[in-house]
């Protein structure tokens, strides 16, 4: 446990970026996992950032409220060790809540550039990003910023939809942007993999991506799926994007385009926990729409996915848990 600067309100009283201090989940200033709100990225390993955007949706809106809901849902998990890792990732990683990306909703054509500038400021400071959306369009400018820092990336996409619908360009749409990303050279389709897909659209292209349809995932073990992901990605750098509608609506009702037949929360977390071989340099969790959520089921699932991602990063940095003693 670190010096949190006193009891309560760690979001602004914390003096140490590492470690965990416990405070009531029902009280206090909210931040993601009670991390310090700061724009000072000196010594920060991972900056958590929200993008409250939903102007690109094609069905139900509300994902602009996603970052706020996921932060609120995260606080009940803000203590360690984390099962089944059996360590506290914040003992290893310096994680800060960078706040939200600011943009003018009245000038939608400029929002992509605003998100990209926001991301570049974090990456240029030497921190990695964990982003909470927002609809899935936000991944497009995030990928642009990450590719500028790292070169073309493998895309690991958990989703019900492939988001490569035909589009001549000029539109802001959460279902077309990965086709643009391939054509721009932002992502390498030969090293990219899409998991949990269970929709198709007339005219969409495969682009050489590996597609693990939902039925394939249901028939395989988490270990087998993780091995297929690692085999597709290879040894290069990757970006992880998790659209919450990859989960079945029973586990994630609060999303804009729910599709029955998806993964359970257990399946998704089990796969993620086994992706230890992959060099992931940035991640996002998107499409949480609180107006359609029930008892914070969806926001809670998204918060847990984000937490397990941080555990995955801590494990790759050397964190190891201790078994429970008799």
């Amino acid at each position: 446990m670190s010096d949190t600067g006193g009891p309560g309100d760690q979001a602004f009283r914390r003096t140490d970026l590492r470690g965990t201090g416990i405070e009531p989940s029902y009280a206090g200033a909210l931040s993601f996992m009670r991390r310090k709100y700061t724009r000072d990225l000196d010594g920060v390993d991972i900056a958590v950032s929200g993008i409250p955007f939903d102007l690109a949706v094609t069905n139900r809106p509300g994902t602009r409220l996603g970052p706020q809901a996921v932060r609120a849902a995260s606080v009940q998990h803000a203590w360690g060790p984390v099962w089944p890792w059996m360590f506290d990732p914040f003992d290893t990683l310096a994680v800060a809540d960078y706040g939200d990306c600011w943009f003018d909703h009245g000038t939608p054509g400029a929002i992509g550039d605003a998100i990209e500038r926001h991301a570049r400021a974090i990456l240029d400071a030497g921190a990695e990003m964990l982003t909470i959306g927002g609809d899935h369009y936000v991944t497009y400018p995030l990928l642009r910023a990450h590719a500028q820092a790292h070169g073309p990336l493998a895309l690991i996409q958990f989703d019900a939809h492939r988001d490569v619908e035909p589009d001549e360009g000029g539109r802001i749409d959460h279902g077309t942007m990965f086709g643009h990303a391939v054509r721009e050279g932002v992502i390498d389709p030969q090293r990219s993999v899409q998991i949990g897909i269970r929709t198709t659209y007339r005219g969409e292209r495969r682009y050489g991506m590996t597609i693990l349809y939902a039925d394939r995932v249901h028939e395989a073990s988490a270990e087998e799926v993780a091995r297929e992901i690692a085999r597709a990605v290879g040894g290069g750098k990757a970006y992880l994007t998790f659209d919450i509608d990859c989960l079945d609506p029973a586990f994630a009702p609060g999303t804009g385009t729910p599709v029955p037949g998806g993964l359970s929360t257990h399946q998704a977390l089990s796969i993620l926990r086994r992706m230890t071989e992959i060099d992931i340099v940035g991640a996002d969790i998107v499409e949480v729409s609180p107006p359609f959520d029930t008892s914070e089921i969806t926001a809670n699932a998204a918060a847990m996915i984000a937490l397990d991602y941080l555990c995955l990063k801590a494990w790759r940095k050397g964190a190891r848990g201790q078994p429970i003693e008799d």
Side-chain angles (χ1 to χ4, degrees):
M1 188 173 294
S2 68
D3 179 8
T4 61
D9 289 331
Q10 296 173 69
F12 59 86
R13 299 185 67 189
R14 169 181 293 277
T15 57
D16 191 342
L17 290 173
R18 287 185 171 83
T20 299
I22 299 173
E23 61 183 281
S25 61
Y26 52 83
L30 291 177
S31 63
F32 180 77
M33 293 293 295
R34 302 292 195 188
R35 309 322 296 170
K36 184 178 182 179
Y37 266 122
T38 181
R39 295 261 163 143
D40 179 3
L41 295 177
D42 184 30
V44 172
D45 294 313
I46 297 179
V48 179
S49 180
I51 304 182
F53 173 80
D54 65 359
L55 296 179
V57 297
T58 53
N59 192 29
R60 306 190 307 199
T63 58
R64 67 181 60 186
L65 305 175
Q68 182 183 66
V70 174
R71 283 187 175 102
S74 77
V75 298
Q76 67 167 308
H77 306 294
W79 46 271
V82 177
W83 186 92
W85 302 90
M86 302 311 294
F87 60 72
D88 184 339
F90 304 113
D91 289 339
T92 302
L93 298 174
V95 179
D97 193 323
Y98 193 76
D100 288 347
C101 174
W102 190 92
F103 52 81
D104 181 359
H105 72 280
T107 55
I111 293 174
D113 289 340
I115 295 171
E116 188 173 346
R117 287 194 302 272
H118 174 83
R120 286 177 59 186
I122 294 172
L123 297 174
D124 288 348
E128 293 188 12
M129 294 187 71
L130 171 57
T131 305
I132 305 168
D135 70 49
H136 213 163
Y137 172 80
V138 306
T139 303
Y140 183 27
L142 289 171
L143 279 170
R144 281 177 156 177
H146 281 77
Q148 187 172 59
H150 299 287
L153 295 160
L155 179 68
I156 303 171
Q157 177 189 352
F158 286 81
D159 209 324
H161 316 83
R162 295 192 57 227
D163 298 334
V164 292
E165 298 170 43
D167 182 357
E168 297 302 320
R171 299 174 64 251
I172 300 175
D173 193 315
H174 71 160
T176 67
M177 65 283 173
F178 293 143
H180 295 309
V182 170
R183 291 190 291 271
E184 291 179 19
V186 173
I187 59 177
D188 178 357
Q190 301 299 326
R191 296 193 303 114
S192 296
V193 56
Q194 300 173 309
I195 306 107
I197 305 301
R198 52 195 186 277
T199 55
T200 187
Y201 293 89
R202 188 183 302 276
E204 71 177 17
R205 294 174 52 191
R206 192 180 186 99
Y207 288 108
M209 297 180 182
T210 298
I211 306 172
L212 302 180
Y213 290 102
D215 57 353
R216 166 65 182 137
V217 177
H218 287 310
E219 292 166 0
S221 68
E223 183 67 37
E224 289 170 332
V225 175
R227 279 201 302 266
E228 290 197 43
I229 295 171
R231 186 162 47 246
V233 171
K237 295 180 178 181
Y239 184 93
L240 170 68
T241 181
F242 198 109
D243 186 329
I244 205 68
D245 71 25
C246 181
L247 303 184
D248 189 88
F251 303 93
T255 192
T257 49
V259 181
L263 279 60
S264 70
T265 309
H266 168 71
Q267 279 179 297
L269 293 174
S270 295
I271 295 167
L272 181 62
R273 290 165 183 159
R274 289 166 171 80
M275 289 167 48
T276 53
E277 299 177 21
I278 303 173
D279 184 11
I280 303 174
V281 296
D284 63 57
I285 299 97
V286 297
E287 295 285 355
V288 174
S289 182
F292 298 96
D293 206 358
T294 303
S295 301
E296 298 181 346
I297 293 173
T298 312
N300 198 5
M304 201 68 216
I305 290 165
L307 177 57
D308 263 347
Y309 173 73
L310 292 175
C311 288
L312 181 66
K313 295 293 293 185
W315 191 94
R316 284 184 58 84
K317 200 172 179 179
R320 295 294 185 273
Q322 297 295 323
I324 298 175
E325 297 181 359
D326 290 332

PDB file of all heavy atoms in Angstrom, residues 222-248:
ATOM      1  N   ALA A 222     -10.200 -20.999 -24.168  1.00  0.00           N
ATOM      2  CA  ALA A 222      -9.569 -19.678 -24.108  1.00  0.00           C
ATOM      3  C   ALA A 222      -8.096 -19.775 -24.498  1.00  0.00           C
ATOM      4  O   ALA A 222      -7.562 -18.884 -25.178  1.00  0.00           O
ATOM      5  CB  ALA A 222      -9.714 -19.093 -22.702  1.00  0.00           C
ATOM      6  N   GLU A 223      -7.430 -20.847 -24.086  1.00  0.00           N
ATOM      7  CA  GLU A 223      -6.023 -21.053 -24.426  1.00  0.00           C
ATOM      8  C   GLU A 223      -5.839 -21.179 -25.934  1.00  0.00           C
ATOM      9  O   GLU A 223      -4.916 -20.597 -26.519  1.00  0.00           O
ATOM     10  CB  GLU A 223      -5.496 -22.297 -23.725  1.00  0.00           C
ATOM     11  CG  GLU A 223      -4.021 -22.567 -23.946  1.00  0.00           C
ATOM     12  CD  GLU A 223      -3.124 -21.526 -23.309  1.00  0.00           C
ATOM     13  OE1 GLU A 223      -3.458 -21.046 -22.215  1.00  0.00           O
ATOM     14  OE2 GLU A 223      -2.091 -21.191 -23.931  1.00  0.00           O
ATOM     15  N   GLU A 224      -6.729 -21.906 -26.578  1.00  0.00           N
ATOM     16  CA  GLU A 224      -6.639 -22.074 -28.035  1.00  0.00           C
ATOM     17  C   GLU A 224      -6.858 -20.758 -28.759  1.00  0.00           C
ATOM     18  O   GLU A 224      -6.143 -20.448 -29.727  1.00  0.00           O
ATOM     19  CB  GLU A 224      -7.665 -23.115 -28.494  1.00  0.00           C
ATOM     20  CG  GLU A 224      -7.334 -24.538 -28.081  1.00  0.00           C
ATOM     21  CD  GLU A 224      -8.480 -25.497 -28.327  1.00  0.00           C
ATOM     22  OE1 GLU A 224      -9.657 -25.061 -28.311  1.00  0.00           O
ATOM     23  OE2 GLU A 224      -8.201 -26.697 -28.516  1.00  0.00           O
ATOM     24  N   VAL A 225      -7.828 -19.977 -28.309  1.00  0.00           N
ATOM     25  CA  VAL A 225      -8.095 -18.686 -28.946  1.00  0.00           C
ATOM     26  C   VAL A 225      -6.910 -17.755 -28.763  1.00  0.00           C
ATOM     27  O   VAL A 225      -6.477 -17.074 -29.704  1.00  0.00           O
ATOM     28  CB  VAL A 225      -9.380 -18.054 -28.378  1.00  0.00           C
ATOM     29  CG1 VAL A 225      -9.581 -16.642 -28.949  1.00  0.00           C
ATOM     30  CG2 VAL A 225     -10.593 -18.924 -28.684  1.00  0.00           C
ATOM     31  N   ALA A 226      -6.357 -17.719 -27.558  1.00  0.00           N
ATOM     32  CA  ALA A 226      -5.203 -16.858 -27.303  1.00  0.00           C
ATOM     33  C   ALA A 226      -4.017 -17.252 -28.169  1.00  0.00           C
ATOM     34  O   ALA A 226      -3.277 -16.390 -28.668  1.00  0.00           O
ATOM     35  CB  ALA A 226      -4.823 -16.914 -25.823  1.00  0.00           C
ATOM     36  N   ARG A 227      -3.826 -18.553 -28.385  1.00  0.00           N
ATOM     37  CA  ARG A 227      -2.732 -19.006 -29.247  1.00  0.00           C
ATOM     38  C   ARG A 227      -2.954 -18.565 -30.686  1.00  0.00           C
ATOM     39  O   ARG A 227      -2.005 -18.176 -31.380  1.00  0.00           O
ATOM     40  CB  ARG A 227      -2.596 -20.530 -29.177  1.00  0.00           C
ATOM     41  CG  ARG A 227      -1.841 -21.035 -27.961  1.00  0.00           C
ATOM     42  CD  ARG A 227      -1.292 -22.434 -28.193  1.00  0.00           C
ATOM     43  NE  ARG A 227      -2.343 -23.391 -28.514  1.00  0.00           N
ATOM     44  CZ  ARG A 227      -2.950 -24.165 -27.612  1.00  0.00           C
ATOM     45  NH1 ARG A 227      -2.619 -24.065 -26.331  1.00  0.00           N
ATOM     46  NH2 ARG A 227      -3.877 -25.023 -27.984  1.00  0.00           N
ATOM     47  N   GLU A 228      -4.201 -18.627 -31.160  1.00  0.00           N
ATOM     48  CA  GLU A 228      -4.495 -18.178 -32.524  1.00  0.00           C
ATOM     49  C   GLU A 228      -4.247 -16.687 -32.675  1.00  0.00           C
ATOM     50  O   GLU A 228      -3.764 -16.221 -33.710  1.00  0.00           O
ATOM     51  CB  GLU A 228      -5.936 -18.538 -32.898  1.00  0.00           C
ATOM     52  CG  GLU A 228      -6.169 -20.026 -33.085  1.00  0.00           C
ATOM     53  CD  GLU A 228      -7.458 -20.315 -33.830  1.00  0.00           C
ATOM     54  OE1 GLU A 228      -7.758 -19.625 -34.820  1.00  0.00           O
ATOM     55  OE2 GLU A 228      -8.184 -21.246 -33.404  1.00  0.00           O
ATOM     56  N   ILE A 229      -4.598 -15.918 -31.653  1.00  0.00           N
ATOM     57  CA  ILE A 229      -4.350 -14.473 -31.690  1.00  0.00           C
ATOM     58  C   ILE A 229      -2.849 -14.215 -31.750  1.00  0.00           C
ATOM     59  O   ILE A 229      -2.369 -13.426 -32.576  1.00  0.00           O
ATOM     60  CB  ILE A 229      -4.975 -13.789 -30.465  1.00  0.00           C
ATOM     61  CG1 ILE A 229      -6.501 -13.903 -30.502  1.00  0.00           C
ATOM     62  CG2 ILE A 229      -4.557 -12.317 -30.406  1.00  0.00           C
ATOM     63  CD1 ILE A 229      -7.187 -13.451 -29.220  1.00  0.00           C
ATOM     64  N   ALA A 230      -2.087 -14.883 -30.888  1.00  0.00           N
ATOM     65  CA  ALA A 230      -0.637 -14.683 -30.861  1.00  0.00           C
ATOM     66  C   ALA A 230       0.003 -15.110 -32.174  1.00  0.00           C
ATOM     67  O   ALA A 230       0.934 -14.452 -32.670  1.00  0.00           O
ATOM     68  CB  ALA A 230      -0.033 -15.464 -29.697  1.00  0.00           C
ATOM     69  N   ARG A 231      -0.488 -16.180 -32.768  1.00  0.00           N
ATOM     70  CA  ARG A 231       0.057 -16.660 -34.038  1.00  0.00           C
ATOM     71  C   ARG A 231      -0.207 -15.638 -35.151  1.00  0.00           C
ATOM     72  O   ARG A 231       0.665 -15.385 -35.996  1.00  0.00           O
ATOM     73  CB  ARG A 231      -0.568 -18.007 -34.388  1.00  0.00           C
ATOM     74  CG  ARG A 231       0.033 -18.665 -35.628  1.00  0.00           C
ATOM     75  CD  ARG A 231      -0.273 -20.148 -35.695  1.00  0.00           C
ATOM     76  NE  ARG A 231      -1.670 -20.456 -35.448  1.00  0.00           N
ATOM     77  CZ  ARG A 231      -2.106 -21.139 -34.386  1.00  0.00           C
ATOM     78  NH1 ARG A 231      -1.245 -21.557 -33.470  1.00  0.00           N
ATOM     79  NH2 ARG A 231      -3.386 -21.393 -34.231  1.00  0.00           N
ATOM     80  N   ALA A 232      -1.386 -15.033 -35.147  1.00  0.00           N
ATOM     81  CA  ALA A 232      -1.715 -14.037 -36.175  1.00  0.00           C
ATOM     82  C   ALA A 232      -0.875 -12.775 -36.012  1.00  0.00           C
ATOM     83  O   ALA A 232      -0.368 -12.215 -36.992  1.00  0.00           O
ATOM     84  CB  ALA A 232      -3.202 -13.693 -36.105  1.00  0.00           C
ATOM     85  N   VAL A 233      -0.694 -12.327 -34.784  1.00  0.00           N
ATOM     86  CA  VAL A 233       0.004 -11.067 -34.512  1.00  0.00           C
ATOM     87  C   VAL A 233       1.505 -11.208 -34.707  1.00  0.00           C
ATOM     88  O   VAL A 233       2.176 -10.295 -35.208  1.00  0.00           O
ATOM     89  CB  VAL A 233      -0.312 -10.586 -33.076  1.00  0.00           C
ATOM     90  CG1 VAL A 233       0.559  -9.398 -32.685  1.00  0.00           C
ATOM     91  CG2 VAL A 233      -1.789 -10.225 -32.966  1.00  0.00           C
ATOM     92  N   GLY A 234       2.064 -12.345 -34.305  1.00  0.00           N
ATOM     93  CA  GLY A 234       3.507 -12.530 -34.407  1.00  0.00           C
ATOM     94  C   GLY A 234       4.241 -11.723 -33.349  1.00  0.00           C
ATOM     95  O   GLY A 234       3.698 -11.386 -32.300  1.00  0.00           O
ATOM     96  N   GLY A 235       5.486 -11.379 -33.647  1.00  0.00           N
ATOM     97  CA  GLY A 235       6.325 -10.722 -32.650  1.00  0.00           C
ATOM     98  C   GLY A 235       6.296  -9.212 -32.685  1.00  0.00           C
ATOM     99  O   GLY A 235       6.966  -8.566 -31.868  1.00  0.00           O
ATOM    100  N   GLY A 236       5.545  -8.603 -33.594  1.00  0.00           N
ATOM    101  CA  GLY A 236       5.514  -7.144 -33.700  1.00  0.00           C
ATOM    102  C   GLY A 236       4.580  -6.491 -32.701  1.00  0.00           C
ATOM    103  O   GLY A 236       3.896  -7.156 -31.913  1.00  0.00           O
ATOM    104  N   LYS A 237       4.536  -5.183 -32.737  1.00  0.00           N
ATOM    105  CA  LYS A 237       3.702  -4.414 -31.813  1.00  0.00           C
ATOM    106  C   LYS A 237       2.237  -4.449 -32.244  1.00  0.00           C
ATOM    107  O   LYS A 237       1.921  -4.468 -33.429  1.00  0.00           O
ATOM    108  CB  LYS A 237       4.203  -2.977 -31.729  1.00  0.00           C
ATOM    109  CG  LYS A 237       5.599  -2.872 -31.117  1.00  0.00           C
ATOM    110  CD  LYS A 237       6.076  -1.431 -31.040  1.00  0.00           C
ATOM    111  CE  LYS A 237       7.447  -1.370 -30.380  1.00  0.00           C
ATOM    112  NZ  LYS A 237       7.949   0.017 -30.269  1.00  0.00           N
ATOM    113  N   ALA A 238       1.362  -4.417 -31.243  1.00  0.00           N
ATOM    114  CA  ALA A 238      -0.069  -4.551 -31.495  1.00  0.00           C
ATOM    115  C   ALA A 238      -0.852  -3.506 -30.705  1.00  0.00           C
ATOM    116  O   ALA A 238      -0.395  -3.001 -29.676  1.00  0.00           O
ATOM    117  CB  ALA A 238      -0.547  -5.948 -31.117  1.00  0.00           C
ATOM    118  N   TYR A 239      -2.048  -3.224 -31.201  1.00  0.00           N
ATOM    119  CA  TYR A 239      -3.005  -2.351 -30.514  1.00  0.00           C
ATOM    120  C   TYR A 239      -4.255  -3.174 -30.248  1.00  0.00           C
ATOM    121  O   TYR A 239      -4.780  -3.857 -31.146  1.00  0.00           O
ATOM    122  CB  TYR A 239      -3.332  -1.131 -31.368  1.00  0.00           C
ATOM    123  CG  TYR A 239      -4.238  -0.132 -30.675  1.00  0.00           C
ATOM    124  CD1 TYR A 239      -3.706   0.942 -29.965  1.00  0.00           C
ATOM    125  CD2 TYR A 239      -5.631  -0.263 -30.712  1.00  0.00           C
ATOM    126  CE1 TYR A 239      -4.524   1.851 -29.321  1.00  0.00           C
ATOM    127  CE2 TYR A 239      -6.455   0.639 -30.063  1.00  0.00           C
ATOM    128  CZ  TYR A 239      -5.902   1.690 -29.367  1.00  0.00           C
ATOM    129  OH  TYR A 239      -6.712   2.590 -28.717  1.00  0.00           O
ATOM    130  N   LEU A 240      -4.764  -3.112 -29.022  1.00  0.00           N
ATOM    131  CA  LEU A 240      -5.949  -3.858 -28.617  1.00  0.00           C
ATOM    132  C   LEU A 240      -7.148  -2.925 -28.542  1.00  0.00           C
ATOM    133  O   LEU A 240      -7.103  -1.914 -27.840  1.00  0.00           O
ATOM    134  CB  LEU A 240      -5.709  -4.505 -27.251  1.00  0.00           C
ATOM    135  CG  LEU A 240      -6.925  -5.140 -26.564  1.00  0.00           C
ATOM    136  CD1 LEU A 240      -7.395  -6.370 -27.327  1.00  0.00           C
ATOM    137  CD2 LEU A 240      -6.599  -5.500 -25.113  1.00  0.00           C
ATOM    138  N   THR A 241      -8.214  -3.280 -29.254  1.00  0.00           N
ATOM    139  CA  THR A 241      -9.468  -2.536 -29.113  1.00  0.00           C
ATOM    140  C   THR A 241     -10.571  -3.523 -28.744  1.00  0.00           C
ATOM    141  O   THR A 241     -10.718  -4.573 -29.377  1.00  0.00           O
ATOM    142  CB  THR A 241      -9.828  -1.768 -30.399  1.00  0.00           C
ATOM    143  OG1 THR A 241     -11.059  -1.044 -30.190  1.00  0.00           O
ATOM    144  CG2 THR A 241      -9.988  -2.678 -31.608  1.00  0.00           C
ATOM    145  N   PHE A 242     -11.312  -3.192 -27.694  1.00  0.00           N
ATOM    146  CA  PHE A 242     -12.371  -4.080 -27.210  1.00  0.00           C
ATOM    147  C   PHE A 242     -13.700  -3.340 -27.280  1.00  0.00           C
ATOM    148  O   PHE A 242     -13.991  -2.467 -26.463  1.00  0.00           O
ATOM    149  CB  PHE A 242     -12.102  -4.531 -25.772  1.00  0.00           C
ATOM    150  CG  PHE A 242     -12.891  -5.758 -25.383  1.00  0.00           C
ATOM    151  CD1 PHE A 242     -12.260  -6.983 -25.200  1.00  0.00           C
ATOM    152  CD2 PHE A 242     -14.265  -5.696 -25.227  1.00  0.00           C
ATOM    153  CE1 PHE A 242     -12.981  -8.106 -24.852  1.00  0.00           C
ATOM    154  CE2 PHE A 242     -14.997  -6.809 -24.886  1.00  0.00           C
ATOM    155  CZ  PHE A 242     -14.355  -8.033 -24.702  1.00  0.00           C
ATOM    156  N   ASP A 243     -14.487  -3.685 -28.302  1.00  0.00           N
ATOM    157  CA  ASP A 243     -15.859  -3.190 -28.402  1.00  0.00           C
ATOM    158  C   ASP A 243     -16.709  -4.053 -27.480  1.00  0.00           C
ATOM    159  O   ASP A 243     -16.757  -5.278 -27.629  1.00  0.00           O
ATOM    160  CB  ASP A 243     -16.336  -3.297 -29.853  1.00  0.00           C
ATOM    161  CG  ASP A 243     -17.706  -2.678 -30.075  1.00  0.00           C
ATOM    162  OD1 ASP A 243     -18.543  -2.694 -29.144  1.00  0.00           O
ATOM    163  OD2 ASP A 243     -17.955  -2.186 -31.199  1.00  0.00           O
ATOM    164  N   ILE A 244     -17.382  -3.427 -26.527  1.00  0.00           N
ATOM    165  CA  ILE A 244     -18.109  -4.182 -25.512  1.00  0.00           C
ATOM    166  C   ILE A 244     -19.225  -5.023 -26.115  1.00  0.00           C
ATOM    167  O   ILE A 244     -19.682  -5.986 -25.489  1.00  0.00           O
ATOM    168  CB  ILE A 244     -18.644  -3.240 -24.404  1.00  0.00           C
ATOM    169  CG1 ILE A 244     -18.840  -4.001 -23.080  1.00  0.00           C
ATOM    170  CG2 ILE A 244     -19.926  -2.552 -24.863  1.00  0.00           C
ATOM    171  CD1 ILE A 244     -17.561  -4.454 -22.435  1.00  0.00           C
ATOM    172  N   ASP A 245     -19.659  -4.707 -27.371  1.00  0.00           N
ATOM    173  CA  ASP A 245     -20.688  -5.547 -27.976  1.00  0.00           C
ATOM    174  C   ASP A 245     -20.128  -6.881 -28.464  1.00  0.00           C
ATOM    175  O   ASP A 245     -20.881  -7.718 -28.983  1.00  0.00           O
ATOM    176  CB  ASP A 245     -21.460  -4.814 -29.077  1.00  0.00           C
ATOM    177  CG  ASP A 245     -20.665  -4.573 -30.362  1.00  0.00           C
ATOM    178  OD1 ASP A 245     -19.719  -5.312 -30.658  1.00  0.00           O
ATOM    179  OD2 ASP A 245     -21.034  -3.623 -31.095  1.00  0.00           O
ATOM    180  N   CYS A 246     -18.819  -7.117 -28.284  1.00  0.00           N
ATOM    181  CA  CYS A 246     -18.292  -8.462 -28.471  1.00  0.00           C
ATOM    182  C   CYS A 246     -18.965  -9.423 -27.493  1.00  0.00           C
ATOM    183  O   CYS A 246     -19.172 -10.600 -27.809  1.00  0.00           O
ATOM    184  CB  CYS A 246     -16.780  -8.466 -28.263  1.00  0.00           C
ATOM    185  SG  CYS A 246     -16.004 -10.083 -28.491  1.00  0.00           S
ATOM    186  N   LEU A 247     -19.302  -8.905 -26.316  1.00  0.00           N
ATOM    187  CA  LEU A 247     -20.005  -9.715 -25.326  1.00  0.00           C
ATOM    188  C   LEU A 247     -21.460  -9.896 -25.740  1.00  0.00           C
ATOM    189  O   LEU A 247     -22.067  -9.013 -26.358  1.00  0.00           O
ATOM    190  CB  LEU A 247     -19.942  -9.059 -23.945  1.00  0.00           C
ATOM    191  CG  LEU A 247     -18.555  -8.758 -23.378  1.00  0.00           C
ATOM    192  CD1 LEU A 247     -18.690  -8.191 -21.967  1.00  0.00           C
ATOM    193  CD2 LEU A 247     -17.666  -9.981 -23.386  1.00  0.00           C
ATOM    194  N   ASP A 248     -22.033 -11.015 -25.377  1.00  0.00           N
ATOM    195  CA  ASP A 248     -23.456 -11.244 -25.613  1.00  0.00           C
ATOM    196  C   ASP A 248     -24.276 -10.201 -24.843  1.00  0.00           C
ATOM    197  O   ASP A 248     -23.864  -9.762 -23.756  1.00  0.00           O
ATOM    198  CB  ASP A 248     -23.822 -12.644 -25.136  1.00  0.00           C
ATOM    199  CG  ASP A 248     -25.224 -13.032 -25.550  1.00  0.00           C
ATOM    200  OD1 ASP A 248     -25.370 -13.576 -26.669  1.00  0.00           O
ATOM    201  OD2 ASP A 248     -26.172 -12.797 -24.770  1.00  0.00           O
TER     202      ASP A 248
END
